[in-house]
C-alpha cells in the first residue's frame, strides 16, 4: 500500500510538472514540498510511521514531531544552490520568503511573524530565524521553544507513553540497492525528468543526504516532564538524549521567561465540544460540512 501511495504521488508530481510546462509556466515557477509534522509512530492514533532516530511522535513536542523535511526547486535559482540545507525555517517564513522570491517587497507585509529567508536559502547563509516557538497549549499545559542551540520543553503528554525513541518495525523483505546510474536512468525515464531535460536541465546528480548524528545516549541524563522542564542542546543533541536542565538552570529560566513573554500575548483557545452530527458514518463515510448556515 505504501509503495502504491508513493507511486501515485510520483505520478501526480509528473502531471503537475507537465501541466506547468505545457502552459509555459514552469520556467517561472517555484515548487516547495514540505512535511507538516513528524509521523504517528509507535501505533499512535492507529497509524504507522517512523521518525527514527529522532525522539517522539506526532502531536508531541519532541524533535521527531516538530522537525520537518522538504525541498525547494526552481529553474530561477542559481545552479550553485543545489545541495542540502539545514537552516532553521518555520512555516511562517514561507509567506515572506516566497513573496520576496516572486518579486514582492516584504516591507509591506506588516504584522507577520515570518522572516524572508530567500537569500539565505539560495546563498547557503545562516538563517535570519534564531528561535522557534513550537507550541503553548494551555489545555494540556505543555509548551516548548528553541532559541539558538537550546530547546526547553515542559509538560507531559499521554503520560509519557510517546516520549521515547521508536525504531522502525522489522520487516522481512529483500533489500534492493540501486546504483547511481540506476537512479539517474529512472529520472531520465520519468515524466518530470523528461520535461526538465526539455528545458535544458540535463546534468542530474545525486546529492548526499543529510544524516542526523545522535551520538551516544547517556543513561543517567533522564528527562521526566511530569516532574520539571527539560533542556537540550538541539544542535549537538538532535535526538534529545542529554537533559542538561540541572547543569544549566539559568538557561532553563531564560527560555522559560521567553515562553512566558509569548504566552502573555497568546489568544485563548476557542475549542468547541464534539458534535455527533459530524460523524462520517452519517454522511456516507465522508468528512464533509454538516452545519447549514441558512
Amino acid at each position: 500500500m505504501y509503495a502504491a501511495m508513493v507511486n501515485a504521488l510520483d505520478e501526480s508530481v509528473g502531471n503537475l510538472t507537465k501541466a506547468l510546462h505545457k502552459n509555459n509556466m514552469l520556467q517561472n515557477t517555484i515548487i516547495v514540498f514540505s512535511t507538516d509534522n513528524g509521523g504517528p509512530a509507535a501505533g499512535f492514533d492507529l497509524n504507522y510511521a517512523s521518525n527514527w532516530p529522532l525522539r517522539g511522535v506526532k502531536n508531541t513536542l519532541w524533535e521527531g514531531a516538530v522537525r520537518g523535511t522538504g525541498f525547494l526547486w526552481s529553474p530561477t535559482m542559481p545552479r550553485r544552490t543545489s545541495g542540502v540545507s539545514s537552516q532553521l525555517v518555520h512555516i511562517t517564513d514561507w509567506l515572506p520568503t516566497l513573496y520576496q522570491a516572486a518579486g514582492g517587497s516584504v516591507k509591506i507585509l506588516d504584522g507577520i511573524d515570518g522572516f524572508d529567508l530567500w537569500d539565505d536559502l539560495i546563498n547557503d547563509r545562516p538563517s535570519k530565524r534564531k528561535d522557534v516557538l513550537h507550541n503553548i497549549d494551555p489545555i494540556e499545559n505543555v509548551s516548548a521553544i528553541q532559541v539558538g542551540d537550546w530547546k526547553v520543553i515542559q509538560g507531559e503528554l499521554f503520560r509519557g507513553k510517546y516520549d521515547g525513541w521508536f525504531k522502525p518495525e522489522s520487516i522481512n523483505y529483500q533489500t534492493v540497492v540501486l546504483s547511481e546510474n540506476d537512479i539517474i536512468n529512472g529520472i531520465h525515464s520519468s515524466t518530470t525528468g523528461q520535461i526538465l531535460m526539455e528545458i535544458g536541465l540535463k546534468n542530474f546528480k545525486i546529492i548526499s543526504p543529510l544524516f542526523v548524528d545522535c551520538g551516544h545516549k547517556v543513561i543517567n541524563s533522564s528527562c521526566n516532564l511530569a516532574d520539571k522542564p527539560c533542556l537540550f542542546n538541539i544542535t549537538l543533541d538532535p535526538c534529545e538524549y542529554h537533559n542538561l536542565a540541572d547543569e544549566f538552570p539559568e538557561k532553563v529560566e531564560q527560555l522559560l521567561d521567553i515562553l512566558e513573554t509569548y504566552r502573555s500575548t497568546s489568544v485563548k483557545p476557542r475549542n468547541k465540544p464534539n458534535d455527533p452530527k459530524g460523524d462520517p458514518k452519517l454522511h456516507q463515510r465522508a468528512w464533509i460540512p454538516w452545519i447549514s448556515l441558512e
Side-chain angles (χ1 to χ4, degrees):
M1 181 181 293
Y2 180 75
M5 292 168 60
V6 174
N7 185 70
L9 173 62
D10 186 62
E11 183 179 346
S12 67
V13 172
N15 292 338
L16 176 61
T17 308
K18 185 176 181 178
L20 289 169
H21 180 54
K22 181 180 178 180
N23 290 277
N24 298 315
M25 299 171 65
L26 187 60
Q27 291 281 31
N28 195 31
T29 293
I30 298 171
I31 295 177
V32 178
F33 273 73
S34 179
T35 182
D36 57 347
N37 45 248
F44 179 83
D45 207 16
L46 301 179
N47 275 300
Y48 175 83
S50 174
N51 305 314
W52 180 263
L54 298 176
R55 187 174 186 174
V57 306
K58 173 183 178 178
N59 210 33
T60 67
L61 295 175
W62 302 108
E63 289 297 288
V66 301
R67 182 177 292 219
T69 58
F71 74 83
L72 176 69
W73 177 89
S74 175
T76 66
M77 295 170 62
R79 300 290 179 89
R80 69 178 184 276
T81 61
S82 177
V84 178
S85 169
S86 58
Q87 284 104 322
L88 187 63
V89 180
H90 186 261
I91 190 172
T92 57
D93 299 327
W94 282 123
L95 170 60
T97 297
L98 296 177
Y99 190 75
Q100 170 71 21
S105 172
V106 296
K107 294 180 180 179
I108 69 171
L109 302 178
D110 294 329
I112 63 173
D113 295 315
F115 291 90
D116 165 25
L117 303 180
W118 182 250
D119 288 338
D120 298 342
L121 291 172
I122 66 174
N123 294 306
D124 195 25
R125 296 194 304 230
S127 173
K128 297 182 186 69
R129 174 167 292 283
K130 304 304 178 184
D131 63 74
V132 169
L133 174 64
H134 292 305
N135 199 12
I136 296 176
D137 186 337
I139 297 177
E140 298 292 344
N141 198 27
V142 297
S143 56
I145 191 172
Q146 177 182 341
V147 179
D149 298 329
W150 297 94
K151 174 183 176 181
V152 70
I153 177 172
Q154 65 174 355
E156 186 181 57
L157 286 168
F158 311 108
R159 297 184 178 180
K161 180 179 179 180
Y162 300 106
D163 287 354
W165 300 262
F166 305 101
K167 291 184 178 181
E169 296 179 11
S170 297
I171 302 176
N172 295 321
Y173 60 89
Q174 184 178 1
T175 301
V176 177
V177 180
L178 298 177
S179 67
E180 185 169 325
N181 285 336
D182 290 332
I183 298 174
I184 295 297
N185 290 335
I187 295 174
H188 286 165
S189 63
S190 70
T191 300
T192 299
Q194 292 172 9
I195 292 173
L196 294 181
M197 288 188 288
E198 282 186 35
I199 64 175
L201 302 177
K202 300 180 179 181
N203 298 320
F204 300 114
K205 66 178 182 178
I206 307 302
I207 299 173
S208 299
L210 179 65
F211 291 100
V212 176
D213 183 8
C214 293
H216 299 289
K217 184 177 181 180
V218 178
I219 303 300
N220 61 0
S221 63
S222 61
C223 168
N224 183 6
L225 290 173
D227 181 31
K228 59 183 180 180
C230 298
L231 178 73
F232 302 93
N233 185 315
I234 291 300
T235 303
L236 300 179
D237 180 27
C239 293
E240 297 166 302
Y241 283 160
H242 313 295
N243 176 22
L244 302 174
D246 290 340
E247 189 174 347
F248 298 99
E250 72 287 349
K251 182 61 67 174
V252 174
E253 290 303 317
Q254 178 187 355
L255 268 62
L256 290 179
D257 286 345
I258 297 174
L259 263 176
E260 200 55 42
T261 299
Y262 277 114
R263 194 190 311 272
S264 67
T265 63
S266 63
V267 178
K268 292 183 178 181
R270 300 178 181 177
N271 298 19
K272 301 296 183 181
N274 291 336
D275 187 347
K277 296 179 182 179
D279 194 322
K281 71 181 181 182
L282 303 177
H283 309 283
Q284 299 180 339
R285 303 289 176 181
W287 291 104
I288 63 172
W290 69 92
I291 298 177
S292 176
L293 300 180
E294 296 180 356

